[in-house]
Amino acid sequence: MSAAPASPYGTLPAAPPAATRKPVSLPRLREMHAQGEKITMLTAYDATFAAVADAAGVECILVGDSLGMVCQGLGSTVGVTLEAMRHHTDCVARGLRRAQATAWLIADLPFGSYHESREQALRSATVLMQAGAHMVKLEGGGWTTDTVYFLVERGIPVCAHLGLTPQTVHALGGYRVQGRGEEAAATLRSQAHALQDAGAAMLVLEMVPAALSAALTAELTHCATIGIGAGAGAAGQVLVLHDMLGMNLGKMPKFVHNFMAEAHSVQGAMQAYVRAVKDGSFPVDALHAW
Ligand code: KIV
């Protein structure tokens, strides 16, 4: 394959030799899950950072609706539109293609784009898949189960998201730990099982107690848990790019580690993140979890 054309404004990182790079596919992610190899995920919102993350060995790139905060300066993800998600997914997908990258690309369905009906969810997911996503992510349990089944049946891989679901921050009363206490844990557990049964291939667990996340990870054999502030027991980890580079404009969440502090480059910080997730040294439950 020919190299990306030279640009006066910066070049995308060179991909490692083709022999060492297998495209990350759903079967490959399922294989990693089955073999107990930790899955790494980072958010990215533009071509360059996505290509750098891929070159650093990150398997899954998430175009998160956290772009509302880190790119658009919004106070929450509630104001992020489907058009904004389409635009950033398109930018990231283009960057990955130009860099001959292999990463699996996930895009968030934003607030209001899947709430009305499963048909609305299918239309919104189609927009993101046609922009280059390989999988869509949606928040919540219970009412979302039918939607997940509907999308998966139509060939759209789905990542679910439970625990702290930022799109419902106003209903939750803030960015708080979820699933604490027997009743809350039982609800989360039954929602997670229903999402797995509906066909969700991945499940982000955000800000839930480490013990609950570890228990769910052991129980969900067909759905890989991806933790963020959910302890070391999850099948994989995700962080918001700007947080792990120490570029948080507000208060750094407890579950984040600043990988840039000990690195000489962004790619080096991402490589350190990949290494730490793979060898189990990040997260440390006593430091980054509840
Ligand atoms: O929007 C986002 O970045 C996310 C991650 C925090 C999981 O949903």
Side-chain angles (χ1 to χ4, degrees):
M1 256 187 239
S2 61
S7 149
Y9 304 119
T11 47
L12 296 175
T20 65
R21 293 165 58 87
K22 279 197 202 144
V24 181
S25 60
L26 200 50
R28 174 68 193 130
L29 290 167
R30 288 195 197 283
E31 186 182 72
M32 288 174 67
H33 180 216
Q35 292 173 349
E37 182 182 346
K38 297 277 185 186
I39 297 168
T40 57
M41 188 186 295
L42 261 189
T43 68
Y45 317 100
D46 68 27
T48 305
F49 278 99
V52 173
D54 176 81
V58 174
E59 283 116 7
C60 303
I61 309 281
L62 169 66
V63 184
D65 59 358
S66 50
L67 69 84
M69 277 98 111
V70 301
C71 300
Q72 299 178 321
L74 298 174
S76 78
T77 58
V78 175
V80 177
T81 63
L82 183 60
E83 174 48 25
M85 290 307 304
R86 187 207 59 75
H87 170 72
H88 286 273
T89 302
D90 193 25
C91 295
V92 166
R94 212 178 296 132
L96 292 176
R97 269 194 305 275
R98 267 188 58 195
Q100 298 170 25
T102 58
W104 179 252
L105 177 54
I106 308 166
D108 265 341
L109 284 168
F111 181 70
S113 73
Y114 57 100
H115 299 63
E116 219 172 280
S117 64
R118 51 194 206 164
E119 287 78 13
Q120 184 209 18
L122 176 60
R123 282 194 297 277
S124 302
T126 302
V127 169
L128 299 181
M129 299 293 283
Q130 289 183 339
H134 302 130
M135 173 182 246
V136 296
K137 177 164 83 60
L138 53 82
E139 295 185 5
W143 68 275
T144 59
T145 306
D146 185 42
T147 302
V148 169
Y149 181 77
F150 191 73
L151 296 180
V152 171
E153 231 192 354
R154 281 154 183 78
I156 299 177
V158 175
C159 175
H161 185 155
L162 291 177
L164 172 67
T165 45
Q167 292 175 8
T168 48
V169 62
H170 300 303
L172 296 175
Y175 297 97
R176 302 164 192 275
V177 182
Q178 303 295 313
R180 266 193 176 142
E182 258 176 54
E183 205 181 315
T187 303
L188 203 145
R189 178 176 253 130
S190 80
Q191 290 178 346
H193 279 273
L195 288 162
Q196 171 178 258
D197 294 347
M202 286 180 150
L203 169 63
V204 168
L205 290 173
E206 182 164 356
M207 285 181 76
V208 304
L212 176 59
S213 159
L216 274 173
T217 302
E219 289 166 20
L220 301 176
T221 50
H222 293 93
C223 178
T225 57
I226 307 293
I228 172 163
Q237 298 290 328
V238 59
L239 282 178
V240 168
L241 171 69
H242 294 59
D243 287 350
M244 61 82 75
L245 295 178
M247 294 169 70
N248 189 302
L249 296 177
K251 194 170 159 249
M252 192 67 93
K254 175 187 166 181
F255 55 77
V256 173
H257 177 75
N258 176 359
F259 285 89
M260 196 64 206
E262 304 110 39
H264 299 294
S265 67
V266 168
Q267 191 165 330
M270 291 174 176
Q271 280 164 338
Y273 166 70
V274 170
R275 268 197 309 275
V277 172
K278 297 277 182 198
D279 70 18
S281 57
F282 176 81
V284 178
D285 283 355
L287 294 178
H288 306 116
W290 288 271

